[in-house]
Amino acid sequence: MQTIVIVGGGAGGLELATRLGDTMGRKGRARVILVDRSPTHFWKPLLHTVASGKRDPQVFQIEYSAQAAEHGFTFMHAELRSVDRAARMLELAPCLSDDVGEVRAARTLGYTTLVLALGAVTNFYGVPGAAEHVCTLDNVREAKGFYRRFFGACVRASEGAGQQVNVVIVGGGATGVELAAELGYSARALAKYKIHTLDPARDVRITILERGPRLLPHLPLEQSARAEAYLKSRGIEICTGTGVTQVGADSVHVGEGKVRPASLTLWAAGVEGPAITGTLGLSLSRMRQIMVKATLQSVDDPNVFAIGDCASFVCPVKGAAPPRAQVAHQQAVFLAAALGRKEGKPLPEFSYRDYGSLVSLGPVAAVGVLLGGSFGSKVPVSGAFANLLYGLMYQKHLMALHGFVRAAAVTLADWLRKRISPSVKLH
């Protein structure tokens, strides 16, 4: 029996493991193993809601072990340390616990087919002080840490005289814009619950620094302008054409000698492949992503596939696939079918279809563009309707993992929870 090992349980990796487990795993055609250094899955596009205190990750996370038991694959809680491609062996690091130390010793794992779904990490572009002083949103732990710091900064400032909380977000892409919008609402909610005595409009200053000429460059100009106008109406300062030259513990240096005060700095200016991609002996792009062919096999090893943000897939016609959840989803669907093909049949070629992009502007609004039709027409959407469509993206992810009935139950439970719980985390 062949062994298919998937490393990384993000949007693409977990969906691929679920699909392969339901088909090849249950039928005994393959042993499907998912490896991840975390015991739980949280959909990365919603990390900004954790960082703003809007969403409790413990409520919305998926236990890998439970998903594996229900869908015919095996889960291993471990971190990938190295890959011996000649022997087709993985070395997994020891599993550590803060309470009891080493829970599982280092071990090896053989594979027939290896799928790398390692995701991406923040790219600091060599800016001095960025790696040491900024917050990032690469995982749930970092998102929770940012909210604790934001919460604490508001409380400390309210106990001082005439103090302000200055939040600087570097990067005007989707992550930066979505977090800025949610933080504005969170500051007001914390004031409503008397957590702090600050005036959210005057004392909590949120600033987006974008090096390019406008926010959300992947959206049409009209939608970008609409998002900027909405954020400004919420008291958020937008500084486009502003590059960061250095980051300090409580300041951000921009332009020629200008310094902005920063109680908190969050870096959302770009991503790259994780460091381990550089140890595998595989060809990488300049963003440290694994270069793959149209079959999603690495260009160097036919037994190694890569999907999602850690993969560099370039379509001859459409160009490079962007690091988005919809790309990982499409690649997972494609690869599940490709690996389940009859033995001896050639691998098909992946083709990415862009359905558009949506960006949340808080609880009640969003902007974006839908792509479709025979001529690839662009349909701009905004406001409450766009916000509804944005929410449906997460429901689609849940349906891919749980099916319609359970996804509907989770959605109903979330709806009820919002009506009986505070709108923001209060501790």
Side-chain angles (χ1 to χ4, degrees):
M1 184 185 300
Q2 65 170 316
T3 299
I4 302 173
V5 177
I6 304 160
V7 182
L14 181 56
E15 184 170 340
L16 176 60
T18 299
R19 289 176 177 272
L20 289 176
D22 285 338
T23 54
M24 301 181 72
R26 290 190 186 280
K27 296 177 181 179
R29 294 177 53 201
R31 185 183 180 207
V32 181
I33 302 173
L34 175 66
V35 177
D36 197 280
R37 62 183 177 181
S38 171
T40 58
H41 163 84
F42 186 87
W43 201 47
K44 194 171 182 178
L46 290 181
L47 280 177
H48 70 280
T49 63
V50 177
S52 63
K54 177 182 177 180
R55 196 177 297 264
D56 186 348
Q58 290 186 326
V59 175
F60 293 90
Q61 65 191 9
I62 297 172
E63 301 281 349
Y64 286 126
S65 295
Q67 185 76 3
E70 295 170 1
H71 293 277
F73 65 92
T74 300
F75 171 64
M76 287 189 176
H77 182 199
E79 183 173 4
L80 179 64
R81 174 180 284 174
S82 64
V83 178
D84 184 341
R85 293 193 290 111
R88 297 194 196 179
M89 295 290 293
L90 308 181
E91 182 183 1
L92 305 179
C95 185
L96 304 177
S97 169
D98 294 336
D99 301 323
V100 297
E102 185 173 297
V103 179
R104 291 188 179 92
R107 50 195 158 154
T108 58
L109 175 64
Y111 68 87
T112 308
T113 299
L114 175 63
V115 181
L116 298 173
L118 302 167
V121 297
T122 300
N123 188 344
F124 299 112
Y125 299 101
V127 174
E132 294 80 14
H133 299 299
V134 305
C135 300
T136 56
L137 293 186
D138 289 337
N139 51 54
V140 169
R141 176 181 56 80
E142 293 177 354
K144 290 169 64 176
F146 177 84
Y147 183 66
R148 285 195 298 268
R149 291 185 62 181
F150 175 73
F151 185 94
C154 290
V155 173
R156 287 192 299 272
S158 67
E159 294 177 352
Q163 293 193 32
Q164 286 188 331
V165 176
N166 293 292
V167 181
V168 176
I169 299 173
V170 182
T175 300
V177 167
E178 289 178 337
L179 178 61
E182 289 290 356
L183 281 179
Y185 282 95
S186 296
R188 290 170 172 80
L190 291 175
K192 169 188 171 184
Y193 291 111
K194 310 299 182 184
I195 299 299
H196 62 71
T197 57
L198 304 174
D199 179 345
R202 183 190 66 227
D203 301 327
V204 181
R205 308 299 301 167
I206 302 171
T207 303
I208 299 178
L209 305 180
E210 167 56 39
R211 185 174 183 176
R214 63 186 178 97
L215 298 182
L216 304 173
H218 64 288
L219 293 183
L221 181 60
E222 178 187 354
Q223 296 301 83
S224 174
R226 189 185 296 270
E228 181 171 338
Y230 183 85
L231 292 176
K232 287 181 176 178
S233 73
R234 304 294 299 179
I236 297 169
E237 183 180 3
I238 310 297
C239 299
T240 55
T242 306
V244 174
T245 58
Q246 185 178 342
V247 180
D250 55 3
S251 62
V252 176
H253 298 245
V254 297
E256 298 179 356
K258 296 181 180 179
V259 181
R260 302 184 68 96
S263 309
L264 283 167
T265 303
L266 183 121
W267 195 274
V271 297
E272 62 182 354
I276 194 169
T277 59
T279 69
L280 306 178
L282 300 172
S283 298
L284 304 179
S285 70
R286 63 183 181 86
M287 304 303 291
R288 211 162 61 189
Q289 296 169 304
I290 299 166
M291 298 181 68
V292 298
K293 299 185 288 187
T295 56
L296 300 186
Q297 294 167 296
S298 76
V299 297
D300 307 290
D301 190 334
N303 300 307
V304 177
F305 294 75
I307 64 173
D309 293 354
C310 76
S312 175
F313 170 75
V314 180
C315 175
V317 178
K318 302 176 183 177
R324 297 183 197 164
Q326 66 169 309
V327 176
H329 163 72
Q330 291 182 35
Q331 290 178 337
V333 173
F334 165 83
L335 200 54
L339 295 179
R341 75 195 189 289
K342 291 184 179 179
E343 195 169 342
K345 289 190 66 176
L347 282 168
E349 294 188 349
F350 172 71
S351 177
Y352 167 60
R353 180 177 179 184
D354 190 353
Y355 290 97
S357 180
L358 294 166
V359 177
S360 172
L361 297 178
V364 297
V367 295
V369 61
L370 305 181
L371 303 180
S374 56
F375 299 101
S377 57
K378 296 182 179 180
V379 181
V381 291
S382 60
F385 177 64
N387 191 58
L388 173 64
L389 295 178
Y390 184 87
L392 291 177
M393 293 193 303
Y394 180 53
Q395 311 310 318
K396 183 178 180 181
H397 176 63
L398 290 178
M399 287 181 61
L401 297 178
H402 299 313
F404 176 78
V405 174
R406 188 166 177 179
V410 171
T411 302
L412 176 61
D414 183 28
W415 184 84
L416 293 172
R417 192 179 297 109
K418 287 180 179 178
R419 275 140 188 83
I420 61 175
S421 302
S423 58
V424 68
K425 192 173 175 63
L426 301 179
H427 57 83

